[in-house]
Amino acid sequence: MPDQQHVKYLLSEDQIPRAWYNIIPDLPRPLSPVLHPGTKQPVTPDDLAPLFPMALIMQEMSPDRYIEIPEPVRDVYRQWRPSPLYRARRLEKALDTPARIYYKYEGISPVGSHKPNTAVAQAFYNKEEGVKKIATETGAGQWGSSLAMAGAFFGIEIEVFMVKISYQQKPYRRSMMQAYGATVHASPTNLTNAGRSMLAKDPNNMGTLGLAISEAVERAATSGGTVKYSLGSVLNHVLLHQTVIGEESLLQMAMADDYPDVVIGCAGGGSNMAGLIIPFVRERLGKDLNTRFLAAEPTACPSMTKGVYAYDFGDAVGMTPIMKMATLGHDFMPPGIHAGGLRYHGMSPIMSLLHEEGILEAQAYHQNGIFEAAVQFTRSEGIVPAPESAHAIRAAIDEALEAKEAGEERVILFNLSGHGHFDMGAYDSYFAGQLQDYEYPVEEVRAAQGRMPQVDEAALA
Ligand SMILES: *Cc1c(COP(=O)(O)O)cnc(C)c1O
């Protein structure tokens, strides 16, 4: 019998997980090797050493199912973890649904999202290896804020390339990064070859996440070893660090005497969704459950619903290693939707593989429907969600309405990846009726996919 009393399920500090769960050894088939952008041969740890500390490179390729969380990282996690799991009782009532809706709330971290779960771990391993400075990119500003905070905790200088459209739409995210002590540039900049060549083609270029990644990677790669690089999503070690979300949720669902039929996350590069679902995927594979997993993405940048599963670059100009993933083409320029954190052309290789294997479903949503769901959620649960997280809310509400139609007691769990306190400009546009619903840009995607790297996969095997 599911618990009928509580609104939130809280764990104690000593229930913060002691290990991250690495799904790589449990995947239904092996991940395709990551390739060097020049030779198109599998990368070696030495190839990645200019960008990342060795401990993270080893995690990226680790065959170990569990990796112990270092005590200094757990110490920082204690600042906000364990995060609460809520039962959305008021939302259920508003929808008049027999479904039970639960959400894990990652917006209680100091910066307001799940991203510090990996930022703190990455800063720790960089510090251990004597790194003094890290360059990174940020879209909506959540990742830049997270790494800036982690840099402040561990005494590392942080330089952030922030997508220009977000830099203009969200000036207070920039101030926040500066409050933590970081340096912030609007990307494209004149500081890198990648930025300069883009500005030469189009001086009014508003930037993309892929381009900001190119700038930050170039910064590290040309620093002669003095600057490392850090990525806030997509990579295996990032997903690994986020699994604390799902491990805590498993304990909290047990406290509620319940278990989800469907687990939902919004998907940009895939890390918050992965963090929630990966421990539930382990349970499904190990215990023969029928749990469904659903990724919610924007219609304007639908990497899983409309992308191809192929080898592509992680950045816009083709400097990063080549990964097999669901992609729209590395130089595709997604329309300027307000969920900046979801404007990424690709998808993490692990999530892409789970999608290919039919374990992960994906669905794309328009902006206006997203904000409609966000407002309904705000008025029933009181939390103003980030536009990114509102994609998961839309999907959860649709599942609850479907359950009502079918007269089913469906159990729904979603990740509320962050709050929207820095996104009120987007809400203003929605209230003013000025939000555009972008159709999926078929022609541009087709053209971008034509420019992807050619890889002879048969020759790799
Ligand atoms: C960055 C961000 C996302 C998207 O990134 P993922 O790696 O897909 O999780 C989603 N929600 C919020 C609040 C974010 O800041």
Side-chain angles (χ1 to χ4, degrees), residues 112-115 140-143 173 232-234 238-239 242 266-274 340-342 347 386-389 415-419:
S113 76
H114 65 287
K115 290 201 172 78
Q142 287 273 16
W143 170 244
R173 271 285 170 199
S233 186
V234 181
V238 178
L239 273 58
Q242 293 295 351
C266 68
S271 73
N272 87 84
M273 171 182 64
L342 306 186
M347 177 52 53
E388 290 86 357
S389 320
N415 197 26
L416 187 59
S417 52
H419 67 61

Side-chain angles (χ1 to χ4, degrees), residues 28-112:
R29 64 185 154 100
L31 283 173
S32 302
V34 172
L35 307 181
H36 189 282
T39 63
K40 294 183 182 167
Q41 288 303 306
V43 288
T44 63
D46 285 347
D47 291 332
L48 298 174
L51 297 183
F52 303 106
M54 204 39 83
L56 292 175
I57 295 170
M58 290 298 129
Q59 288 183 0
E60 191 64 19
M61 308 174 170
S62 175
D64 301 332
R65 196 164 271 126
Y66 289 95
I67 293 173
E68 194 182 319
I69 305 178
E71 217 32 58
V73 174
R74 282 186 88 240
D75 258 352
V76 179
Y77 280 175
R78 267 185 255 279
Q79 187 75 16
W80 71 93
R81 304 210 72 82
S83 65
L85 181 114
Y86 286 87
R87 168 92 181 265
R89 294 189 187 274
R90 287 194 185 79
L91 179 63
E92 288 171 15
K93 201 165 279 169
L95 298 171
D96 187 27
T97 174
R100 295 192 292 281
I101 308 174
Y102 297 86
Y103 59 95
K104 178 72 163 164
Y105 185 38
E106 289 294 309
I108 57 142
S109 81
V111 309

Side-chain angles (χ1 to χ4, degrees), residues 1-4 9 87 100 102 253-258 409:
M1 256 315 263
D3 167 57
Q4 286 305 335
Y9 298 93
R87 168 92 181 265
R100 295 192 292 281
Y102 297 86
M253 288 303 302
M255 287 169 82
D257 268 324
D258 220 346
E409 280 195 21

Side-chain angles (χ1 to χ4, degrees), residues 98 344 353:
Y344 182 63
L353 188 145

Side-chain angles (χ1 to χ4, degrees), residues 38-375:
T39 63
K40 294 183 182 167
Q41 288 303 306
V43 288
T44 63
D46 285 347
D47 291 332
L48 298 174
L51 297 183
F52 303 106
M54 204 39 83
L56 292 175
I57 295 170
M58 290 298 129
Q59 288 183 0
E60 191 64 19
M61 308 174 170
S62 175
D64 301 332
R65 196 164 271 126
Y66 289 95
I67 293 173
E68 194 182 319
I69 305 178
E71 217 32 58
V73 174
R74 282 186 88 240
D75 258 352
V76 179
Y77 280 175
R78 267 185 255 279
Q79 187 75 16
W80 71 93
R81 304 210 72 82
S83 65
L85 181 114
Y86 286 87
R87 168 92 181 265
R89 294 189 187 274
R90 287 194 185 79
L91 179 63
E92 288 171 15
K93 201 165 279 169
L95 298 171
D96 187 27
T97 174
R100 295 192 292 281
I101 308 174
Y102 297 86
Y103 59 95
K104 178 72 163 164
Y105 185 38
E106 289 294 309
I108 57 142
S109 81
V111 309
S113 76
H114 65 287
K115 290 201 172 78
N117 296 333
T118 183
V120 168
Q122 293 192 42
F124 168 79
Y125 290 113
N126 273 283
K127 182 71 180 180
E128 288 275 282
E129 295 184 26
V131 175
K132 303 266 186 308
K133 181 169 177 176
I134 304 175
T136 196
E137 70 289 329
T138 196
Q142 287 273 16
W143 170 244
S145 309
S146 303
L147 195 65
M149 179 184 80
F153 287 166
F154 289 99
I156 299 173
E157 201 183 322
I158 305 294
E159 183 176 30
V160 183
F161 292 84
M162 183 174 191
V163 177
K164 192 180 279 173
I165 188 166
S166 299
Y167 189 93
Q168 294 178 354
Q169 282 175 348
K170 298 194 181 186
Y172 296 133
R173 271 285 170 199
R174 173 183 45 72
S175 324
M176 190 181 191
M177 290 184 257
Q178 287 167 337
Y180 287 122
T183 307
V184 188
H185 313 291
S187 163
T189 71
N190 276 314
L191 301 168
T192 66
N193 287 329
R196 280 188 293 268
S197 73
M198 204 52 80
L199 287 172
K201 273 189 255 168
D202 174 13
N204 298 317
N205 188 300
M206 295 308 283
T208 62
L209 209 46
L211 180 57
I213 294 174
S214 303
E215 292 209 272
V217 168
E218 183 180 327
R219 197 68 159 174
T222 59
S223 70
T226 59
V227 183
K228 292 279 187 209
Y229 167 72
S230 167
L231 189 61
S233 186
V234 181
L235 300 179
N236 303 341
H237 68 265
V238 178
L239 273 58
L240 172 80
H241 301 153
Q242 293 295 351
T243 56
V244 289
I245 301 173
E247 297 288 17
E248 288 177 5
S249 300
L250 274 166
L251 299 178
Q252 289 163 311
M253 288 303 302
M255 287 169 82
D257 268 324
D258 220 346
Y259 199 84
D261 296 309
V262 56
V263 189
I264 300 170
C266 68
S271 73
N272 87 84
M273 171 182 64
L276 176 64
I277 77 168
I278 279 177
F280 286 89
V281 172
R282 175 190 63 209
E283 300 302 301
R284 167 173 146 168
L285 297 175
K287 294 187 183 149
D288 218 14
L289 298 167
N290 293 319
T291 323
R292 288 170 51 221
F293 300 98
L294 174 60
E297 53 183 18
T299 316
C301 191
S303 5
M304 274 183 286
T305 44
K306 298 286 174 123
V308 290
Y309 184 55
Y311 268 108
D312 200 2
F313 296 108
D315 68 327
V317 309
M319 288 169 51
T320 67
I322 310 172
M323 296 172 289
K324 183 114 183 230
M325 61 180 173
T327 176
L328 298 165
H330 61 279
D331 61 0
F332 167 63
M333 281 278 227
I337 54 165
H338 281 281
L342 306 186
R343 289 179 72 230
Y344 182 63
H345 66 271
M347 177 52 53
S348 91
I350 289 176
M351 289 295 104
S352 300
L353 188 145
L354 291 176
H355 183 240
E356 278 301 300
E357 289 290 311
I359 294 171
L360 177 64
E361 305 164 28
Q363 177 93 36
Y365 301 87
H366 281 299
Q367 284 199 106
N368 280 294
I370 292 305
F371 278 89
E372 185 196 329
V375 167

